[in-house]
Amino acid sequence: MLRALSGSLFVSVCMASIFMISGISAGALEASQDYDELWLRYERVSDDEVLSEYQDQISEIVVEGDTLISESIERELSKGLTGLLTEAEEAEEGIPVSDEVTGDGSVVAGCPDTSAIVDGLGWNEELEDLGAEGFIIRTAAVDGNDVTVIAGGSDRGALYGTFRFLSLLQRYEDIANIDIADKPANELRLLNHWDNWRPTGHGTIERGYAGGTLWQWDELPDTVDPRYEDYARANASIGINGSVINNVNAQVDFIKSENLPKVAALADVFRQYGITLYLSVRYDSPMVLGGLDKSDPKDEDVIEWWESKVDKIYEHIPDFGGFLVKGDSEGQPGPLQYGRDHAVGANMLADALRPHDGIVMWRTFVYGISGLSSDRVKQNYEIFVPLDGEFADNVIIQPKNGPLDFQVREPVNPVIGAMPESNTGIEFMITQEYTGTNVHLCYLPPQFKEVYEFDTKIKGPGSTVKRILESSVFDYDTSMVVGVANTGSDSNWTGHYLAQSNWHGYGQLAWNPRLSVEEIAEDWVRRTYSNEEEVVE
C-alpha cells in the first residue's frame, strides 16, 4: 500500500542488529553493496499495487532548460523513474523524455528562468519566497493534462526537488494530489575533507577510516573518475551544496598554478549538481610558494600575492567558493605571529576574494596562546568574542560544535551565539575520530540534533543553536553548516555500510534541523535497504 507522508520509527541502540537478525532480502542487501548506489538505489517497486498507481501517474519526463543542472535533472529523473517503474527488459527504452507535455502523467521539472511551463503556472512569487534553492512539488493542470510539477526557485532548487520526488517513490509514498513546498534552513551546507595531497595514487586522509582520498591527482585532469559524479549526486540528493576538498592542515600543492587544472576538473563535475568547490589554504603560502619573507596580512607584497593567486584560481574555476583557514592552531601559521589579530588576518583574504563573490571560513579552533585562561575550552571564546563586529561581511566564523575537540560528550561551543555582529556557522564531525574510528558503529544524527536543539538563551528562551545558525536570532549575512567528511576510496564509500547513515543524516539535518532523527533513520533504511516493514522496524 502507498504510505502516508508522515510517520516515524523507533531507532534501536543496536541499529546494526536490524541487518543481522531481520529478514532483509539477499537481493536488497546485494544491490546496496555497489559503491555508487548508497541511498540512491532505484530498484523496481516490489509492491504491485504501489507500482500500478505510480505507472498510472507517471508517463513521461519533461525538463525545460539547457543548463548543466537541467541536464542532470533529466538524467536523474530518467535513471530513477526507469529503475523504479519499468521491468528489466523495458529499462533500455526507459520512461519517455519529451520536449512538451503530451498527456496526463507528465513529470515536469524546471524553474521560471528556464521553463516556460513553470513560468506560466503563476507560482513565481511563491518560489521567490522559497529562495533559489527552494522548490515546490505539486499536482497541476497543464494544457488540460494532469501533471506533476517539480518547480525550483532556480535550477538548483529544481534539482533538490527532483531528488525529493524520487525519494518519495523510493519510500512508496502517496504522490496523488501532492503539494510540497520546502527550502533549506542554512544557505551553505558543506563537507570538509581532511584529504592530503599525494602526486600519485590515492592520497591520505587525516582521521579517515575509509581508505585513501577520492581524488586521483596523478590522473586528473585528463582522466576523471566516474566516482566524482557519484559523489556529487549523493551530496546533492541530501542538499549538500559545497565541498572543501582538502585538509585544514593545508598543503600548498592545491593552489600551485600547475595543479589548478586538476582542481578545476573536479569543480567541473561538481558544478553539474550544484556543488561549489572550496579550498583550505596555508596562511604562509606567500612565503612557501611566492618566495616572500613574511605573510603579514598588512604587508602590501603579501596582499598583492594573494590577490594575484585568487585571480588565477578564478580563471580556472569561475564559481570557486573561497577559502577555509586554520590559522595559529596546532602548528598552522596565522596572523598572530605578526602581531595581527584574527579579524585582520581573515579580512585580508576576504578582500582578495570579494571581487569574485568568494568567502572566507575562519576556524575558531585556536588554543595555547599566551595570556589566556589556563582552561583550554575557554580559549577560543577569549580570542574571538572580543573581535565581534570586526570581521568582513564575507567572513564566516567556523567554531566546532563543542569548545574542546569533537568529543563524544561536551557542551555546545559558547562562541555560538556570542558574536551577533559576525557571521557564525558550525562544524560537526561526521568521520568517527572520537566515536569508534569505524571499529564501532555509532549513529551520529542524535548528537548533531542535540546540538541544534540546545537553547543558548542569548536573547531569551528559544535562542536555539539551529535558529542562531539560520539567522533567525541575529541578522547574519550568510548561514553555514559544515561537516568533516567520512568518505574515502573504499568501495562502500565510508568504511562500512552503516556509516553511510551518518553522511546521509548530516545532510538531512543541515537542510532541515527540525527533522527528527527517527524520520532521518527511516528515510535512510527505506532508500538504502528495503521498504519491508520488518526491516524498517
Side-chain angles (χ1 to χ4, degrees):
M1 296 176 63
L2 288 167
R3 299 180 56 251
L5 288 177
S6 62
S8 64
L9 94 112
F10 177 79
V11 182
S12 168
V13 173
C14 298
M15 189 174 173
S17 66
I18 293 173
F19 308 104
M20 295 176 183
I21 65 175
S22 71
I24 187 169
S25 68
L29 186 60
E30 289 169 4
S32 70
Q33 308 305 292
D34 294 333
Y35 75 78
D36 60 338
E37 295 294 323
L38 295 163
W39 47 87
L40 293 177
R41 285 180 56 229
Y42 297 131
E43 189 176 67
R44 189 171 186 270
V45 175
S46 60
D47 185 301
D48 290 339
E49 181 180 347
V50 174
L51 178 63
S52 178
E53 292 194 32
Y54 284 168
Q55 289 173 334
D56 287 343
Q57 294 164 325
I58 298 171
S59 61
E60 66 180 2
I61 298 165
V62 180
V63 179
E64 292 184 300
D66 57 2
T67 69
L68 290 173
I69 294 178
S70 296
E71 293 171 5
S72 296
I73 292 171
E74 184 175 301
R75 283 197 305 273
E76 202 66 32
L77 282 173
S78 183
K79 178 182 177 69
L81 296 178
T82 296
L84 289 161
L85 305 183
T86 64
E87 297 278 6
E89 57 270 19
E90 301 170 338
E92 185 173 340
E93 183 175 342
I95 301 295
V97 176
S98 176
D99 293 331
E100 59 183 1
V101 173
T102 63
D104 291 340
S106 292
V107 176
V108 178
C111 65
D113 288 343
T114 62
S115 169
I117 296 174
V118 172
D119 189 45
L121 289 170
W123 302 352
N124 289 14
E125 185 174 342
E126 187 177 355
L127 287 169
E128 187 173 341
D129 290 340
L130 291 170
E133 294 188 321
F135 60 81
I136 295 168
I137 307 174
R138 185 173 291 165
T139 302
V142 174
D143 297 332
N145 301 297
D146 292 329
V147 305
T148 301
V149 178
I150 304 168
S154 68
D155 53 3
R156 273 195 187 191
L159 177 68
Y160 298 135
T162 293
F163 281 114
R164 178 70 60 83
F165 178 69
L166 290 171
S167 77
L168 301 178
L169 304 184
Q170 287 177 287
R171 299 196 308 261
Y172 298 2
E173 309 276 16
D174 188 352
I175 62 168
N177 301 311
I178 192 170
D179 191 355
I180 296 173
D182 199 9
K183 65 178 181 178
N186 298 288
E187 182 181 346
L188 301 179
R189 307 169 302 280
L190 278 60
L191 289 183
N192 288 177
H193 290 268
W194 286 3
D195 294 21
N196 302 308
W197 182 278
R198 194 167 72 176
T200 59
H202 289 288
T204 61
I205 303 176
E206 184 175 343
R207 307 297 187 263
Y209 311 104
T213 177
L214 292 167
W215 327 126
Q216 292 287 296
W217 299 114
D218 56 336
E219 297 177 355
L220 289 164
D222 299 321
T223 301
V224 178
D225 192 316
R227 292 198 80 180
Y228 305 156
E229 182 173 343
D230 294 332
Y231 165 86
R233 286 179 59 233
N235 279 328
S237 74
I238 51 176
I240 291 172
N241 65 0
S243 179
V244 185
I245 65 168
N246 64 311
N247 197 347
V248 291
N249 295 321
Q251 299 163 280
V252 295
D253 302 81
F254 292 87
I255 61 171
K256 286 181 177 178
S257 296
E258 63 267 28
N259 292 332
L260 290 177
K262 297 174 180 286
V263 178
L266 290 180
D268 290 343
V269 177
F270 295 176
R271 189 176 298 114
Q272 300 172 60
Y273 291 89
I275 311 292
T276 300
L277 185 144
Y278 301 79
L279 288 170
S280 296
V281 291
R282 282 183 63 93
Y283 206 78
D284 64 355
S285 293
M287 299 169 64
V288 179
L289 281 183
L292 302 184
D293 61 359
K294 66 183 68 153
S295 293
D296 184 348
K298 286 290 190 179
D299 184 271
E300 290 300 324
D301 291 336
V302 171
I303 294 170
E304 183 178 340
W305 188 90
W306 276 113
E307 289 174 345
S308 176
K309 177 56 67 175
V310 166
D311 289 343
K312 180 63 67 173
I313 292 172
Y314 278 94
E315 286 178 17
H316 290 273
I317 311 170
D319 56 352
F320 177 66
F323 294 143
L324 170 62
V325 182
K326 176 182 179 179
D328 295 306
S329 174
E330 298 184 319
Q332 293 298 298
L336 293 183
Q337 67 192 90
Y338 302 103
R340 315 299 185 185
D341 63 38
H342 283 267
V344 171
N347 292 347
M348 182 271 292
L349 291 175
D351 288 343
L353 289 160
R354 186 184 307 280
H356 306 278
D357 296 324
I359 65 168
V360 174
M361 297 166 281
W362 194 271
R363 295 177 97 230
T364 71
F365 186 58
V366 179
Y367 61 91
I369 307 301
S370 63
L372 298 176
S373 166
S374 60
D375 187 346
R376 172 176 155 178
V377 301
K378 295 180 179 180
Q379 292 181 12
N380 68 344
Y381 184 97
E382 293 175 331
I383 292 169
F384 282 90
V385 172
L387 299 176
D388 186 34
E390 296 183 24
F391 289 93
D393 59 5
N394 60 329
V395 173
I396 306 174
I397 299 303
Q398 183 173 309
K400 294 185 177 184
N401 64 268
L404 186 56
D405 191 8
F406 294 132
Q407 299 299 295
V408 178
R409 302 294 298 171
E410 64 174 308
V412 168
N413 197 319
V415 169
I416 300 169
M419 300 183 69
E421 302 300 322
S422 306
N423 298 318
T424 304
I426 194 170
E427 182 179 4
F428 291 106
M429 178 172 264
I430 310 169
T431 192
Q432 292 182 230
E433 177 180 1
Y434 293 109
T435 53
T437 64
N438 266 21
V439 174
H440 299 287
L441 170 67
C442 188
Y443 183 53
L444 295 175
Q447 182 191 52
F448 304 157
K449 180 72 173 178
E450 183 178 48
V451 174
Y452 279 120
E453 295 295 337
F454 180 80
D455 194 346
T456 69
K457 300 184 180 178
I458 194 69
K459 290 186 71 174
S463 303
T464 56
V465 170
K466 68 188 176 193
R467 295 189 66 244
I468 291 170
L469 295 174
E470 66 190 31
S471 306
S472 295
V473 175
F474 306 121
D475 189 21
Y476 293 150
D477 294 297
T478 307
S479 59
M480 181 185 76
V481 177
V482 302
V484 181
N486 66 342
T487 52
S489 60
D490 282 2
S491 61
N492 62 14
W493 292 101
T494 58
H496 65 73
Y497 297 104
L498 294 175
Q500 296 171 1
S501 65
N502 291 328
W503 179 11
H504 166 273
Y506 161 78
Q508 296 276 29
L509 282 170
W511 179 279
N512 181 7
R514 288 159 179 78
L515 292 171
S516 72
V517 294
E518 293 82 8
E519 288 176 295
I520 294 168
E522 181 174 359
D523 178 79
W524 178 75
V525 171
R526 288 185 181 277
R527 296 169 66 191
T528 304
Y529 286 98
S530 174
N531 278 294
E532 297 174 20
E533 292 304 321
E534 182 180 10
V535 175
V536 174
E537 290 168 8

